[in-house]
Amino acid sequence: MKSQARVVVIGGGVVGCSVLYHLTKAGWKDVVLVERDRLTSGSTWHAAGGFHTLNGDPNVAKLQGYTIGLYNELEKISGESCGLHRSGGLILADSPERLEWLKMAHARARYLGLETEMLTMAEAKKLHPMLEEQYFVGAMLDAADGNLDPNGTTNAYAKSAKIAGAEIYQSTRVTDLKARKDGSWDVITDKGNIHAEHVVNCGGLWAREVGRMVGLELPVLAMEHMYLVTEDMKEVIDFNKERGHELPHIIDFKSEIYMRQERQGIVLGTYEQACVPWQPKNTPWDFGQELLQPDLDRIAPNLELGYKHFPALEKAGIKRVINGPFTFSPDGNPLVGPVQGLRNFWCACAVMAGFSQGGGVGLALSQWMVNGDPGFDVWAMDVARFGEWATRSYTNEKVRENYARRFSIRFPNEELPAARPQQTTALYDTMIAQGAVMGDSWGLETPLWFAPKGVEPKDIVSFHRSNDFKHVKAEVLGTRNGVGVTEIANFAKYRFEGPGAEAFLSRLMTNKMPRVGRIILTPMLNPGGKLIGDFTIAKAAEERFYMWGSSQAQKYHMRWFEQHLPSDGSVRIHRYDMGLVGLSIAGPKSRDVLQALTDEDVSNAAFKFMDHRSMDIANVPALINRVTYTGDLGYEIWVAPEYQRKLYQAIMQAGKAHGIVNFGMRALLSMRLEKNFPTWFRELRPIYGGFEAGLDRFIDLGKNDFIGREAAMEEKRSGGTLRRVSMIVDAADCDVLGDEPIWHKGKVVGWVTSGGYAHYVDKSMAQGYVPKELAGDTANGAFEIEIIGENRKATIIIDPPFDPEGKRMRS
Ligand SMILES: Cc1cc2nc3c(=O)[nH]c(=O)nc-3n(C[C@H](O)[C@H](O)[C@H](O)COP(=O)(O)OP(=O)(O)OC[C@H]3O[C@@H](n4cnc5c(N)ncnc54)[C@H](O)[C@@H]3O)c2cc1C
């Protein structure tokens, strides 16, 4: 065994082997993998081996497409068979809502380059004669679906890595990890130590335990999972004989089963409601290639429905039942990337679909390690997407919810209930008492909209406009015509202090830092010129800056800041989290409300647009920014949490004379739409450049050598390839949700990033990306957006439909 290596990968399941292979492919040859037992000994060996591209997140779906495409290459390099069966798969919808969901998945596949097709049930029946079509309303065919041999595939990765120079040590357990001052690691194993520059946690069922070696409690939990294998079935044999190929895979949403052909029988697995976590606290180190006790009673309801939908199954003998554990994160997507607060410690854990996702995870992580960036958008599986609130017991509740919902659809206005409320502000009860319908915003309860007296504060979940429509409209009108107040605790807030603070921020941000008392908006780029942040920065004093950004990205951003922090102690960063909370007042009467609460002069001359002040509001010490995301006259008022109730009461009291209204996140998002404002993680993501996103006026190429400047200069010169556009949509009763394809002259040319109803201007709107050459085509109805299977006319607008000259914000 080597005593020194550039990388030690811990864990020889499909994920660890993929990471090892991809590291060699990216050019790092001095890499080793340490496996406690034998390769595949965790959850990998007993997997059902199915693969598919379907995923709620388009970027993960794309990575799944990459994984599936990789297997032929692996077989060629390694000479090992992956045991591939590319049979295609059918996803069956039993209700109109599920069919709508499939239509949306199908539309999304168009711009992802994935091959899917909508089928009638008669067509589906032809492909899979065992199904009873009367129980379904439609189907989607995914040509990329299939299955493989988990053992062969893992070995194909391992062998390909070894051919490229990697080494693998089996029967060797990592018992501890010790960080050195220079950021490298001593990897302690029961066979000796390895000094490594980087460590990757691919511990699968033991990922939690490996995390604990470095003081991490990763949000990951294993669940028991059962599938059964039938004896040979006449129906299968006859089908193969007649057609000369295998039966396609099936996902049956209603009975929550998946199935595929296995030899001349069927493999049938379930995601049952009565699901059971496995080893919720500690995974025993001596768990080997063992199976768990099957419990058919638990999956009986699924089987009963499944047998009704596929009657031939009921008569089939059961050859064996597999019950094995595998891991999930709270939202079901993997945990990948470097861990904030640690140096050179990487994760590739909670991969619940190793044979659909393992390749993409390995590719992303290896590029991240070798190039400093994953090379594409991996936010949906970034380990940084969970905060400190994702505790072990929180994870347990969320993973069970996620498992039981594996084949459920999620509606755009659906908030999932498990483990809530987790974090609340001091105003939670006050907001609930006023009819607030709450949503979960990075673990924090945040008002979405307010039900007036007599209206039940509850969303009716739907892909169409729903029961909140007229109430959100009332909140928008109340704000735009008078004044509204909303909670903004769900922003990220930071303080940067010290003699090096300005230079540090200036190096990271594309915009020039403001003067004392002023605010700027600024994107942040990676070295490739892609957007990795979008912030509001206020300079409060020579060596003190406040910054606001996306709450979801707090760990993601902290990781980046820490990575670039000078080692001389000249910059101190404080992440406030819930230590600073806020209220925003907006609308033409908001100045009157503010003035009533302070003896400072807040007139337009004394307190201008983009000014920052520290002042007492209703006796409360506050930081105030004269900006709001509504694009109206307005203010953000930031206070310590102990003052929030008092501040809110004072605002409501002062606002009474002006008919003040509460407004929630949905009204805020509606108002930003009619101003053409983009949002982080929708319009602004690491796959877009700053100029492509239309942030030109916040990128000062002449100010200094900021990170990403060279790439930004090149993008400016070439114009990039895409453009963010705003569109008015000729919608019927449903607005865009995001991820719909944009058509132009009969071809899919782009995609929607977000949208909805812009209530003040009374228009359905969308934002998205199209090729830059088409961004100037403002002809009426020049584009179409495919909304739930229907192409609706869409027109690019250059100026925002609300207050195009920005007078309201400025006067
Ligand atoms: C019944 C069942 C059916 C499934 N069906 C499918 C399917 O059809 N399709 C699909 O894509 N996925 C399926 N899965 C999920 C799939 O098995 C997992 O996604 C995959 O195995 C995850 O691989 P991994 O490498 O992350 O973890 P694991 O396979 O658990 O590998 C982790 C490895 O790390 C090693 N290790 C841990 N700690 C240490 C240490 N300290 N030192 C050294 N080594 C260590 C372990 O021994 C283990 O080998 C199924 C799972 C089950 C249980």
Side-chain angles (χ1 to χ4, degrees):
M1 192 166 85
K2 283 184 173 181
S3 58
Q4 185 87 26
R6 188 158 202 184
V7 182
V8 171
V9 175
I10 304 171
V14 63
V15 174
C17 292
S18 168
V19 168
L20 192 71
Y21 165 67
H22 280 93
L23 281 171
T24 63
K25 201 174 167 186
W28 283 10
K29 309 290 180 189
D30 180 19
V31 293
V32 305
L33 184 149
V34 180
E35 165 53 45
R36 177 192 64 100
D37 190 16
R38 283 178 283 155
L39 296 184
T40 78
S41 266
S43 56
T44 297
W45 71 278
H46 49 51
F51 56 77
H52 51 83
T53 59
L54 196 71
N55 191 287
D57 184 276
N59 295 294
V60 178
K62 225 193 245 175
L63 280 182
Q64 296 188 181
Y66 164 80
T67 304
I68 294 167
L70 185 66
Y71 293 129
N72 291 342
E73 171 185 321
L74 283 181
E75 287 189 330
K76 224 182 257 168
I77 298 173
S78 66
E80 292 273 330
S81 166
C82 295
L84 293 171
H85 297 255
R86 296 195 185 270
S87 55
L90 288 172
I91 304 161
L92 305 174
D94 67 297
S95 67
E97 290 77 20
R98 284 188 166 113
L99 188 59
E100 288 187 336
W101 189 87
L102 283 184
K103 283 181 184 166
M104 290 193 284
H106 171 57
R108 197 169 57 206
R110 290 187 205 278
Y111 76 76
L112 290 174
L114 304 171
E115 214 182 306
T116 59
E117 195 183 334
M118 294 305 297
L119 301 180
T120 63
M121 282 320 296
E123 290 166 328
K125 171 93 176 169
K126 269 196 201 135
L127 295 181
H128 204 302
M130 279 162 63
L131 64 83
E132 287 293 306
E133 71 267 41
Q134 70 269 29
Y135 297 115
F136 303 101
V137 295
M140 186 175 87
L141 174 67
D142 186 344
D145 282 13
N147 65 88
L148 47 66
D149 165 23
N151 199 42
T153 302
T154 307
N155 278 301
Y157 275 122
K159 204 162 163 198
S160 302
K162 282 211 265 190
I163 289 169
E167 293 187 16
I168 295 179
Y169 310 125
Q170 301 193 57
S171 302
T172 305
R173 177 156 80 87
V174 174
T175 54
D176 206 358
L177 292 165
K178 297 217 179 304
R180 289 195 185 180
K181 278 211 174 80
D182 64 357
S184 65
W185 293 91
D186 284 314
V187 181
I188 319 294
T189 84
D190 54 6
K191 302 273 169 66
N193 301 349
I194 310 174
H195 176 226
E197 203 178 308
H198 299 268
V199 166
V200 189
N201 177 2
C202 297
L205 295 175
W206 294 266
R208 234 176 1 186
E209 282 69 19
V210 173
R212 286 174 190 158
M213 292 177 192
V214 298
L216 264 184
E217 189 64 42
L218 286 165
V220 55
L221 175 71
M223 299 292 290
E224 293 193 14
H225 180 68
M226 273 180 275
Y227 66 85
L228 43 94
V229 187
T230 72
E231 302 282 1
D232 289 355
M233 292 171 64
K234 183 177 175 315
E235 291 79 359
V236 176
I237 295 167
D238 289 350
F239 179 90
N240 294 162
K241 215 181 267 169
E242 194 188 310
R243 307 284 176 95
H245 61 77
E246 287 178 310
L247 281 160
H249 276 219
I250 291 282
I251 291 177
D252 173 357
F253 278 136
K254 177 72 178 172
S255 62
E256 297 173 314
I257 62 170
Y258 62 88
M259 56 192 251
R260 67 167 172 84
Q261 183 172 338
E262 167 83 1
R263 296 178 193 275
Q264 291 179 324
I266 292 285
V267 156
L268 184 159
T270 63
Y271 282 87
E272 68 279 13
Q273 294 301 307
C275 56
V276 175
W278 180 74
Q279 304 293 359
K281 284 190 179 163
N282 300 296
T283 307
W285 287 110
D286 60 357
F287 183 75
Q289 289 208 346
E290 295 160 47
L291 289 174
L292 312 174
Q293 189 60 36
D295 177 3
L296 285 181
D297 285 350
R298 218 160 71 208
I299 63 171
N302 306 72
L303 292 182
E304 201 176 309
L305 255 186
Y307 290 166
K308 201 163 106 185
H309 295 172
F310 300 87
L313 287 172
E314 192 166 10
K315 295 178 275 133
I318 296 177
K319 195 154 66 180
R320 58 178 194 278
V321 181
I322 306 287
N323 185 10
F326 68 122
T327 53
F328 293 79
S329 73
D331 64 9
N333 274 331
L335 300 172
V336 180
V339 174
Q340 190 233 320
L342 294 171
R343 280 165 74 193
N344 301 330
F345 186 86
W346 305 78
C347 276
C349 318
V351 183
M352 63 77 54
F355 299 98
S356 300
Q357 300 174 333
V361 166
L363 175 71
L365 195 77
S366 60
Q367 295 196 10
W368 215 332
M369 292 176 73
V370 173
N371 307 326
D373 188 90
F376 40 90
D377 192 335
V378 296
W379 169 248
M381 55 185 200
D382 193 324
V383 63
R385 72 188 183 281
F386 294 104
E388 294 74 6
W389 39 268
T391 59
R392 184 169 51 76
S393 45
Y394 169 95
T395 300
N396 189 309
E397 282 190 48
K398 273 296 182 201
V399 168
R400 278 185 285 135
E401 177 183 66
N402 188 271
Y403 183 99
R405 291 181 51 90
R406 172 91 178 117
F407 289 145
S408 302
I409 46 179
R410 177 152 183 200
F411 292 93
N413 59 343
E414 184 170 12
E415 293 288 326
L416 303 181
R420 288 180 56 207
Q422 178 73 333
Q423 296 178 78
T424 54
T425 68
L427 292 179
Y428 179 73
D429 296 332
T430 310
M431 294 298 174
I432 294 281
Q434 294 183 90
V437 176
M438 291 285 182
D440 171 23
S441 174
W442 213 61
L444 174 73
E445 295 297 316
T446 303
L448 297 174
W449 61 280
F450 291 82
K453 272 206 179 77
V455 173
E456 190 186 4
K458 192 176 165 194
D459 274 316
I460 297 174
V461 295
S462 172
F463 293 118
H464 300 247
R465 287 179 197 154
S466 189
N467 58 320
D468 64 335
F469 190 82
K470 63 178 183 209
H471 307 301
V472 173
K473 186 178 208 71
E475 291 169 26
V476 169
L477 296 182
T479 303
R480 290 257 193 256
N481 294 331
V483 56
V485 58
T486 193
E487 267 208 280
I488 46 173
N490 61 330
F491 285 24
K493 320 104 196 172
Y494 312 86
R495 189 180 64 231
F496 294 80
E497 283 178 301
E502 177 145 2
F504 173 74
L505 287 171
S506 209
R507 167 94 179 114
L508 263 59
M509 305 295 164
T510 63
N511 207 350
K512 207 182 267 166
M513 286 305 117
R515 288 181 278 118
V516 172
R518 293 289 290 163
I519 294 170
I520 56 148
L521 305 180
T522 179
M524 182 166 78
L525 303 178
N526 64 19
K530 300 295 182 202
L531 287 164
I532 55 168
D534 183 48
F535 301 103
T536 303
I537 296 181
K539 185 167 181 176
E542 265 324 311
E543 294 185 3
R544 191 166 77 246
F545 294 81
Y546 294 101
M547 185 169 94
W548 292 265
S550 155
S551 72
Q552 300 169 67
Q554 290 184 51
K555 291 201 129 194
Y556 173 88
H557 285 142
M558 281 302 284
R559 188 172 63 192
W560 187 258
F561 300 150
E562 285 173 1
Q563 209 178 315
H564 293 89
L565 211 55
S567 52
D568 60 5
S570 63
V571 187
R572 296 182 302 281
I573 307 179
H574 177 67
R575 181 185 134 206
Y576 280 100
D577 208 356
M578 285 301 116
L580 190 67
V581 295
L583 289 162
S584 174
I585 50 174
K589 296 290 177 197
S590 55
R591 182 182 292 121
D592 296 346
V593 173
L594 187 67
Q595 192 63 82
L597 298 174
T598 180
D599 56 8
E600 303 273 352
D601 180 3
V602 295
S603 66
N604 194 36
F607 191 24
K608 297 191 185 63
F609 179 57
M610 301 295 270
D611 271 355
H612 167 83
R613 293 277 183 281
S614 173
M615 58 173 102
D616 293 356
I617 302 293
N619 298 351
V620 167
L623 300 172
I624 308 187
N625 294 336
R626 201 188 135 182
V627 283
T628 78
Y629 196 39
T630 60
D632 217 311
L633 172 68
Y635 306 85
E636 287 173 357
I637 309 170
W638 297 97
V639 295
E642 56 271 29
Y643 295 119
Q644 198 193 12
R645 275 173 73 98
K646 174 157 186 174
L647 178 68
Y648 178 73
Q649 283 162 0
I651 288 173
M652 292 309 271
Q653 189 58 36
K656 222 183 219 167
H658 308 287
I660 194 164
V661 297
N662 285 304
F663 68 96
M665 282 300 291
R666 291 196 184 145
L668 182 64
L669 290 175
S670 168
M671 287 189 268
R672 71 92 196 179
L673 260 187
E674 53 201 18
K675 282 296 291 177
N676 290 1
F677 289 165
T679 44
W680 181 249
F681 282 140
R682 298 303 306 183
E683 287 73 38
L684 309 181
R685 297 188 70 130
I687 41 177
Y688 308 119
F691 294 104
E692 290 184 327
L695 302 179
D696 310 33
R697 65 182 190 283
F698 308 119
I699 304 173
D700 184 345
L701 291 170
K703 76 176 174 83
N704 68 337
D705 186 19
F706 60 85
I707 296 174
R709 176 167 168 263
E710 256 175 54
M713 282 168 78
E714 172 53 25
E715 189 193 318
K716 179 146 194 191
R717 195 196 56 73
S718 70
T721 54
L722 300 170
R723 265 315 161 274
R724 174 171 70 92
V725 291
S726 278
M727 294 174 148
I728 303 285
V729 188
D730 182 13
D733 78 326
C734 40
D735 304 301
V736 300
L737 306 169
D739 299 327
E740 293 86 352
I742 300 176
W743 296 73
H744 185 259
K745 298 198 170 131
K747 267 183 29 199
V748 173
V749 294
W751 54 89
V752 170
T753 45
S754 73
Y757 203 77
H759 284 284
Y760 189 76
V761 298
D762 239 335
K763 291 191 182 347
S764 183
M765 290 190 69
Q767 290 193 28
Y769 281 84
V770 298
K772 66 172 186 232
E773 298 77 23
L774 297 179
D777 187 351
T778 53
N780 192 17
F783 294 83
E784 289 178 322
I785 297 178
E786 187 172 347
I787 305 179
I788 317 185
E790 253 186 75
N791 277 23
R792 313 290 311 185
K793 281 202 177 340
T795 307
I796 289 182
I797 48 157
I798 304 295
D799 293 325
F802 173 73
D803 189 23
E805 287 160 23
K807 285 188 184 148
R808 299 262 294 226
M809 297 188 293
R810 288 185 174 81
S811 53

